[in-house]
Amino acid sequence: MASNEGFLTDEQREMMKVATENAVNHSTSQKPLSSLLSEYVAKPSATAGGGKGYGGGSNAVKHRRSHAGKSVRAKKDGCGGKGNWGKLIDMDADYQIDRNDPNYDSGEEPFELVGATVSDPLDDYKKAVASIIDEYFSTGDVDVAAADLIELGSNEYHPYFIKRLVSVSMDRHDKEKEMASVLLSSLYTDVINPNHIRDGFVLLLESADDFVVDIPDAVNVLALFLARAVVDDILPPAFLPRASKALPVSSKGYQVVQTAEKSYLSAAHHAELVERRWGGMTRTSVEEVKKKIADILKEYMETGDAYEACRCIRELGVSFFHHEVVKRALVSGMESDAAEPLVLNLLKEAASENLISSSQMVKGFSRLRESLDDLALDIPSAKSKFDLIVPKAISGGWLDASFSDASGESGRQQMEDEKLKRFKEEVVTIIHEYFNSDDIPELIRSLEDLGAPEYNPIFLKKLVTLALDRKNREKEMASVLLSSLHIEMFTTEDVADGFVMLLESAEDTALDILDASNELALFLARAVIDDVLAPYSLEEISSRLQPNSSGTETVKMARSLIFARHAGERLLRCWGGGTGWAVEDAKDKILNLLEEYESSGLVSEACKCIHELGMPFFNHEVVKKALVMAMEKKKDKIVMELLQESFGEGLITINQMTKGFTRVKDGLEDLALDIPNAKEKFSEYVEHAKKNGWVSSSFVTSLTEDSKLG
């Protein structure tokens, strides 16, 4: 071929490929592809033998030469034939779209990305509650505010409503402050749950430093709101010390808590003082309403006119306070057998007219149920009468049936709470006695006497928590006790549940014990080393904790301790080697006492030595070594005598005996290498143990199943 005219060299093709890719990826910022190519291909080709390069000038891209030497225009939208690059390079800088063109395609129109504002649900919520609060301060209508808040939804944002309500009222008159407190009390449980109330006040305390900038007496005002919340029973008194620990001492929030606690809640007659602190405007009306309700009920008892009583109740205009009507009416019905039918009729009529809502009815019954113990001092039969009224109200259709379930559940819950409270008090005493006496068998007997195995995880949490705040001796004793309890009383699930409870409260524990996280990691790792927990249990425990929490970090720390070099020895001696050293030494002592027993044959002396070891949780090692000695030295008779005597004296428990036999069973394959008849001998020992009741039935069952499988 005489000339390369009309063809690209390899180098030119590579440049074309790069230019094409750049045009696609950077079309808005790069030169037109036609310019790039024309700038390059206009140069003489190095391989063309000095001939003209392909193309020339600005039209190099618009036209190409065919093999016949004719000039050919590239087809629209590409497909221009072999060697033609199509529409991608057919770009004119002055090209414009003609909407009147019959071939006009709207898809060729240039487009722009239009930014859309994404609304934040929390911002929308804050704007909505600001309107609700302003309207409430204008009208004073609690019902409308409650209904608006319910309609708004987004319950998870209720803490911000509380913050907004209180912060707005702080900069207003006492009337609005009182109204804010009354609204919070009215919304409590019905609309806003206790946790949201707590979280709302946490937000307020955290923002106290900002409030002071605009409201000079913000600390005092916020302290009064906090005290009022405690007096109105919407915050528990325990909130104050917890908040004090969580807040920096130098913060205004800390000052708020201290002021509330020392200036208001510690004063004589503090409840009355706090309630009337803002002039008692709304509170006075509440007191007046209570008096008017009492007068209405008194008049109704005399006349029996339910219609008139309902009219008077409606005229009070305090639908949010109708639970007080229910409570007082029920008390009146309990005071007199003759009044009970009248009370039931009034409440039924009020419910049928939708005067008293279902939630207010339930709240009235709930308030009375909670005060039955006090009421029983004046009306001995109050509880029994209340239990008779509830089914009548439910069957009459004016009390929600769920109240009966809640009532029974509440009663059961109350009993459960009392039982748990007593358990916690008693185990604290038991643990303190153990730390003083180091008597594990006595502690186990005390726990068995309590008869509450379902609370085993709580005992573990209390044991470790108390040990954390003591010296290394008590920490070592706690770990040793856990190992013993796991064998005697606690399941692996109990131990895992106990550690989960500990790790869930790790952040609170760290407020009192600075090194709590490291110490908990040691306790957890030590439990694995002592075979109280399996290594995989750490994964299970971690999965039950909040991600990225202090608890999960503690589990990670424990895992690293376990897999460190010489982890077993280090963890056994992590608290100075107290009993941890004894565990290592005990194996040698057990071996020595068995050798002495083999020589002397004195069962009583051997039992005395076992008792003096003072490690009942480790007596399974005695069983294991004794059985191995019997196999190796053919001392079956004296070993069986020793085990029988130890079991008969209660020195070695059935759990320890079972664990010892289990450990020998698990190691039979290795033992058979040195003792060929190890399996036959072990079968004989098991039969002897079954006959004398040394081992648990579950162990015997497992052996039977293993033999069938074999």
Side-chain angles (χ1 to χ4, degrees):
M1 187 178 291
S3 173
N4 285 333
E5 183 179 5
F7 293 90
L8 295 178
T9 65
D10 290 341
E11 186 178 359
Q12 289 170 335
R13 289 180 186 277
E14 183 63 24
M15 175 55 72
M16 184 276 293
K17 180 179 178 182
V18 172
T20 302
E21 291 174 351
N22 288 339
V24 173
N25 295 329
H26 306 286
S27 60
T28 59
S29 60
Q30 301 292 329
K31 291 183 180 181
L33 182 57
S34 57
S35 300
L36 287 172
L37 289 178
S38 62
E39 288 175 6
Y40 182 79
V41 300
K43 299 176 182 180
S45 172
T47 62
K52 292 183 179 179
Y54 171 69
S58 61
N59 294 325
V61 175
K62 290 184 180 179
H63 296 80
R64 59 178 287 272
R65 295 185 66 82
S66 69
H67 295 296
K70 296 180 180 180
S71 178
V72 181
R73 177 75 176 184
K75 291 182 181 179
K76 182 178 181 181
D77 291 333
C79 304
K82 184 177 180 181
N84 185 15
W85 306 303
K87 186 180 180 181
L88 179 61
I89 23 182
D90 191 12
M91 295 180 181
D92 293 328
D94 57 350
Y95 175 72
Q96 294 183 353
I97 294 174
D98 184 2
R99 292 183 175 83
N100 297 320
D101 191 325
N103 294 324
Y104 167 71
D105 183 0
S106 61
E108 296 179 355
E109 290 276 7
F111 61 89
E112 295 180 359
L113 292 176
V114 179
T117 303
V118 180
S119 61
D120 184 351
L122 178 56
D123 289 340
D124 295 340
Y125 178 87
K126 289 180 178 180
K127 292 174 183 176
V129 297
S131 175
I132 293 173
I133 292 168
D134 289 340
E135 183 178 349
Y136 169 67
F137 284 150
S138 299
T139 65
D141 196 326
V142 173
D143 282 344
V144 172
D148 289 344
L149 202 58
I150 292 171
E151 184 180 354
L152 181 60
S154 301
N155 296 351
E156 67 274 18
Y157 297 140
H158 282 345
Y160 294 96
F161 169 81
I162 295 164
K163 179 185 177 183
R164 176 75 179 185
L165 174 66
V166 174
S167 60
V168 169
S169 64
M170 286 172 63
D171 203 23
R172 297 201 181 192
H173 298 296
D174 286 351
K175 174 177 177 287
E176 283 80 8
K177 296 182 180 72
E178 180 67 21
M179 290 175 69
S181 286
V182 170
L183 180 59
L184 286 180
S185 183
S186 301
L187 296 177
Y188 178 70
T189 69
D190 284 345
V191 181
I192 302 178
N193 69 46
N195 289 336
H196 289 157
I197 295 280
R198 177 201 64 201
D199 295 343
F201 273 94
V202 168
L203 291 174
L204 285 164
L205 292 173
E206 290 174 345
S207 303
D209 292 280
D210 297 330
F211 293 148
V212 172
V213 175
D214 300 317
I215 307 170
D217 61 340
V219 170
N220 189 57
V221 175
L222 193 51
L224 193 49
F225 267 110
L226 191 57
R228 177 65 175 272
V230 173
V231 169
D232 287 345
D233 291 328
I234 65 174
L235 271 183
F239 174 83
L240 301 178
R242 285 181 176 273
S244 294
K245 292 178 181 178
L247 293 165
V249 177
S250 59
S251 68
K252 296 297 181 183
Y254 182 83
Q255 293 180 30
V256 169
V257 177
Q258 295 300 307
T259 303
E261 201 166 16
K262 296 178 181 178
S263 299
Y264 293 117
L265 296 175
S266 299
H269 309 294
H270 67 271
E272 183 178 356
L273 171 67
V274 170
E275 286 180 346
R276 299 181 181 276
R277 186 66 173 77
W278 286 312
M281 289 189 172
T282 308
R283 178 57 60 174
T284 301
S285 65
V286 170
E287 294 298 326
E288 289 175 355
V289 168
K290 288 183 179 180
K291 185 177 183 303
K292 288 179 180 179
I293 291 172
D295 293 339
I296 292 170
L297 292 174
K298 182 179 179 182
E299 183 178 346
Y300 169 68
M301 296 301 173
E302 295 173 356
T303 64
D305 190 343
Y307 176 80
E308 179 64 19
C310 287
R311 185 187 66 80
C312 293
I313 293 171
R314 184 177 288 105
E315 287 182 351
L316 288 176
V318 287
S319 55
F320 69 91
F321 206 56
H322 282 169
H323 56 81
E324 182 71 16
V325 177
V326 178
K327 179 186 175 185
R328 285 178 177 267
L330 291 173
V331 172
S332 299
M334 291 179 179
E335 289 174 342
S336 168
D337 292 336
E340 182 180 318
L342 290 172
V343 167
L344 297 181
N345 183 56
L346 174 63
L347 294 178
K348 181 179 180 181
E349 185 68 23
S352 64
E353 292 184 12
N354 292 322
L355 175 61
I356 299 179
S357 67
S358 175
S359 63
Q360 289 289 310
M361 192 71 75
V362 169
K363 190 171 183 179
F365 270 82
S366 299
R367 289 184 60 207
L368 181 61
R369 181 183 61 203
E370 292 167 0
S371 62
L372 280 176
D373 290 333
D374 295 333
L375 191 59
L377 300 176
D378 300 320
I379 309 173
S381 59
K383 291 184 179 179
S384 59
K385 286 187 174 182
F386 181 78
D387 291 339
L388 292 173
I389 290 174
V390 169
K392 291 178 182 178
I394 293 174
S395 62
W398 47 274
L399 178 63
D400 196 294
S402 63
F403 178 81
S404 179
D405 298 333
S407 180
E409 183 63 30
S410 176
R412 288 191 293 272
Q413 186 61 44
Q414 189 173 1
M415 292 176 61
E416 186 68 21
D417 290 344
E418 287 296 324
K419 182 180 178 183
L420 178 58
K421 182 180 178 182
R422 289 196 301 271
F423 178 84
K424 288 181 177 178
E425 291 172 351
E426 292 183 25
V427 297
V428 168
T429 303
I430 292 172
I431 292 169
H432 283 315
E433 289 179 356
Y434 167 65
F435 285 154
N436 292 329
S437 67
D438 198 14
D439 192 338
I440 292 178
E442 179 60 29
L443 181 141
I444 291 174
R445 283 192 291 271
S446 298
L447 273 183
E448 289 174 341
D449 290 342
L450 290 180
E454 67 274 19
Y455 294 148
N456 285 347
I458 296 173
F459 174 86
L460 186 150
K461 179 185 177 186
K462 185 65 69 174
L463 171 67
V464 175
T465 302
L466 290 174
L468 284 173
D469 204 23
R470 292 202 171 204
K471 297 180 180 179
N472 285 345
R473 173 182 173 273
E474 284 78 9
K475 295 184 180 76
E476 179 66 26
M477 290 175 69
S479 282
V480 170
L481 177 60
L482 283 183
S483 182
S484 182
L485 289 174
H486 179 244
I487 296 163
E488 300 289 341
M489 297 181 67
F490 286 19
T491 64
T492 302
E493 289 74 18
D494 289 338
V495 177
D497 290 345
F499 273 107
V500 168
M501 294 171 69
L502 275 166
L503 294 169
E504 285 176 339
S505 59
E507 292 180 0
D508 293 335
T509 306
L511 296 176
D512 301 318
I513 305 168
L514 297 179
D515 202 30
S517 182
N518 291 332
E519 297 287 0
L520 281 174
L522 286 172
F523 269 110
L524 195 54
R526 176 66 178 271
V528 174
I529 294 299
D530 288 342
D531 292 328
V532 176
L533 286 174
Y536 68 82
S537 297
L538 298 184
E539 296 294 336
E540 179 192 347
I541 290 172
S542 182
S543 68
R544 294 166 62 182
L545 300 171
Q546 288 292 331
N548 301 320
S549 63
S550 175
T552 55
E553 292 302 316
T554 300
V555 175
K556 290 179 182 177
M557 197 183 308
R559 192 181 293 112
S560 65
L561 290 171
I562 292 166
F563 293 109
R565 190 176 182 184
H566 305 303
E569 183 179 354
R570 289 182 178 181
L571 288 169
L572 284 172
R573 302 179 181 184
C574 62
W575 286 302
T579 314
W581 286 85
V583 171
E584 292 292 307
D585 296 340
K587 293 182 180 180
D588 295 333
K589 291 180 179 179
I590 290 169
L591 188 60
N592 291 335
L593 75 87
L594 288 174
E595 289 175 350
E596 289 181 12
Y597 170 63
E598 179 192 357
S599 301
S600 66
L602 297 175
V603 177
S604 58
E605 183 64 25
C607 289
K608 179 183 176 183
C609 292
I610 294 172
H611 185 270
E612 287 177 352
L613 282 176
M615 301 179 72
F617 69 92
F618 205 57
N619 282 344
H620 57 82
E621 183 73 13
V622 176
V623 177
K624 176 192 172 185
K625 288 189 179 296
L627 292 175
V628 172
M629 184 182 78
M631 292 178 186
E632 288 178 336
K633 301 183 178 181
K634 300 179 181 180
K635 300 289 184 179
D636 296 5
K637 183 178 179 181
I638 64 170
V639 167
M640 294 302 113
E641 287 177 359
L642 174 61
L643 294 179
Q644 179 61 48
E645 185 68 18
S646 300
F647 183 78
E649 290 183 8
L651 187 60
I652 300 180
T653 65
I654 190 171
N655 288 328
Q656 289 287 309
M657 196 73 79
T658 301
K659 187 168 184 179
F661 270 82
T662 302
R663 290 181 63 199
V664 174
K665 177 178 77 75
D666 293 341
L668 275 178
E669 295 295 335
D670 293 333
L671 278 173
L673 299 176
D674 300 320
I675 310 170
N677 65 339
K679 293 184 179 180
E680 291 77 9
K681 300 296 292 182
F682 181 70
S683 297
E684 294 176 10
Y685 301 155
V686 171
E687 286 300 320
H688 189 83
K690 285 167 54 180
K691 181 179 178 181
N692 291 279
W694 295 352
V695 292
S696 65
S697 57
S698 60
F699 173 76
V700 176
T701 304
S702 67
L703 282 179
T704 305
E705 292 177 352
D706 289 345
S707 62
K708 288 180 181 179
L709 291 173

